[in-house]
Amino acid sequence: MTITLSEIELSLVRLDLVHSFETSSHRKTYLEHIVVRATAEDGTVGWGECASPSDPYYCGESTWSCWQVLGRYLAPMLIGRPWNHPEEAARHTAKVSDNHFARAGLDMACWDLYGRRRGEPLADLLGATATAVPAGVSLGIEPTVDALLAQVARHVEDGYRRVKLKIRPGWDVEPVRAVQSAFPHVALQVDANTAYHPDRGDLPAALDGRGLLMVEQPYAPSDLLGHAALAARFETPVCLDESVTTPDVLRTALALGAADVVNVKVSRLGGLGPSLAVHDLCRDAGVPVWCGGMHEFGIGRAANLALAGLPGFTLPSDVSGSDKYYRQDVVAPAIRAVDGMVAVPRGGAGIGVEVDTARLARHTRRTWTVRPAPARAAAPAVEDCRV
Ligand code: OSB
Ligand code: MG
């Protein structure tokens, strides 16, 4: 089946968060993601989401770098060029290095479109076997331990099966102790988002031996040796997030013993193809994986769920109902946790949910429509600013 895209529309969409979210590097009250709508020559539409953080703190990308890279490079490189599989579409843009969040938005739209053309859910195309996955929630840094305990209580009552706490120097052992003594049975893990350093300000030894499921990304992304030394010293499994940007980096990390567990994140890896490769490498190495998120709206969330249904995802993922984050999502049916489980969407072909285009338009702040350049003059792509 050959697909050729005739139009790619980018929409910058803002949704307010129900509860502000703070990590070791920043605090957010709303999120702006880029929704990608890819249209094929036969009129079939595929949807993708670029869930880049607004600022270049989690990685080097930002909303604006993604906007420019998608509009100026990735979309023009793909448009008008036939492909038979989303991984072939990704090869059409291979010339662009890095920029994984930008790439993931377009990649997802290609997979959705491909699934819709074949009449198959994305989950089945990827090889997902689960019908639902355990819901795990990621809780931000709160102003006080009591405020954190209230958040944990709310999510445990709602049936969440696993809780992840963001930590940083000064907010680590105390909140972990408090949560463990108030909720002794909750499956708990922590995520440092690179806030520690092996020589200056190391992860406190008191965090170890407490039965945490894992400690995620304590050190800088490039410090694989530091993570390997920690993994040898700590009883608690060490999980890599920011470090694992490609399957090749993962192979190095595994060879060094730097990862006991891996967080597979579609955005960070630049799409579903490399995410599958990371899943397979970890399965072959006997390393458990789980699916991480970037507070995706329903589009990206649906794709994450399809991936999280694969058999190698043996640990609970950061997949929650989108109502945990947004008052009103842009997809239907809404993604919800029921009895601590979130269904893998198979309600239709592709990502398995439909985009509510009226709702999307209401939250869209600007759009950029990319069409094939006319044969002669190299016309620049048009940016249509609505605000
Ligand atoms: O490190 O996993 C992370 C959100 C923004 C930036 C980094 C991270 C996160 C999350 C969100 O933890 C998890 C989710 O989407 O539910
Ligand atoms: Mg993380």
Side-chain angles (χ1 to χ4, degrees):
M1 178 198 334
T2 303
I3 295 173
T4 308
L5 301 184
S6 53
E7 186 187 286
I8 297 172
E9 187 184 66
L10 311 178
S11 300
L12 181 69
V13 180
R14 179 187 291 195
L15 295 184
D16 288 329
L17 286 167
V18 172
H19 185 80
S20 68
F21 189 84
E22 185 166 344
T23 72
S24 58
S25 66
H26 60 280
R27 180 170 179 273
K28 299 298 300 182
T29 55
Y30 65 83
L31 292 180
E32 283 181 337
H33 290 171
I34 302 167
V35 171
V36 180
R37 191 187 67 178
T39 309
E41 277 175 338
D42 73 341
T44 314
V45 166
W47 295 94
E49 176 179 344
C50 167
S52 173
S54 49
D55 310 300
Y57 307 152
Y58 169 85
C59 64
E61 292 181 85
S62 64
T63 311
W64 293 112
S65 76
C66 289
W67 186 255
Q68 294 297 329
V69 169
L70 275 163
R72 287 182 191 275
Y73 297 97
L74 298 173
M77 268 181 201
L78 184 57
I79 221 156
R81 289 180 70 186
W83 45 273
N84 294 289
H85 186 274
E87 300 210 49
E88 189 187 353
R91 285 195 291 276
H92 286 336
T93 60
K95 216 164 128 175
V96 174
S97 68
D98 301 334
N99 290 286
H100 287 180
F101 276 75
R103 186 181 286 290
L106 187 55
D107 174 81
M108 201 184 294
C110 291
W111 278 93
D112 183 38
L113 204 160
Y114 177 74
R116 287 175 196 262
R117 275 285 281 275
R118 291 178 63 107
E120 283 182 63
L122 176 64
D124 294 343
L125 291 173
L126 297 177
T129 47
T131 54
V133 296
V137 72
S138 167
L139 299 179
I141 293 168
E142 292 289 335
T144 62
V145 168
D146 282 346
L148 176 68
L149 290 175
Q151 283 297 314
V152 176
R154 205 180 117 215
H155 289 89
V156 169
E157 277 159 27
D158 284 355
Y160 279 84
R161 307 271 173 115
R162 177 281 260 157
V163 173
K164 166 170 128 177
L165 305 182
K166 292 288 183 182
I167 57 166
R168 67 173 167 218
W171 178 270
D172 41 36
V173 179
E174 194 197 345
V176 165
R177 279 208 183 112
V179 170
Q180 287 186 323
S181 71
F183 305 91
H185 302 299
V186 80
L188 194 67
Q189 65 192 60
V190 293
D191 184 1
N193 288 109
T194 76
Y196 297 86
H197 190 281
D199 308 325
R200 22 186 172 88
D202 200 356
L203 199 64
L207 264 189
D208 200 17
R210 306 197 58 86
L212 292 172
L213 284 176
M214 69 192 77
V215 52
E216 183 179 347
Q217 197 72 41
Y219 305 143
S222 58
D223 192 6
L224 295 179
L225 290 174
H227 285 100
L230 181 71
R233 177 161 64 84
F234 254 46
E235 194 181 295
T236 313
V238 172
C239 171
L240 294 182
D241 175 359
E242 283 90 331
S243 290
V244 181
T245 50
T246 65
D248 289 339
V249 172
L250 173 67
R251 288 193 299 117
T252 309
L254 294 178
L256 291 171
D260 300 310
V261 177
V262 171
N263 167 339
V264 182
K265 217 177 250 186
V266 180
S267 313
R268 189 193 71 227
L269 289 160
L272 288 157
S275 301
L276 289 175
V278 164
H279 167 271
D280 293 352
L281 280 168
C282 288
R283 181 199 53 204
D284 296 347
V287 168
V289 301
W290 54 283
C291 181
M294 293 300 296
H295 294 154
E296 281 84 355
F297 303 166
I299 300 168
R301 196 166 288 274
N304 286 349
L305 282 162
L307 184 69
L310 264 77
F313 287 79
T314 51
L315 291 164
S317 293
D318 274 347
V319 290
S320 20
S322 46
D323 56 329
K324 284 290 154 212
Y325 295 114
Y326 306 107
R327 235 172 288 285
Q328 197 182 46
D329 199 354
V330 295
V331 303
I335 296 171
R336 293 273 185 273
V338 179
D339 295 331
M341 300 292 284
V342 188
V344 172
R346 286 192 176 82
I351 55 173
V353 292
E354 290 305 325
V355 175
D356 182 327
T357 50
R359 226 180 261 170
L360 187 75
R362 217 172 310 131
H363 297 286
T364 294
R365 306 179 72 80
R366 61 174 70 191
T367 60
W368 185 348
T369 306
V370 181
R371 296 201 182 86
R376 280 170 353 107
V382 185
E383 183 168 5
D384 157 30
C385 179
R386 279 208 224 154
V387 280

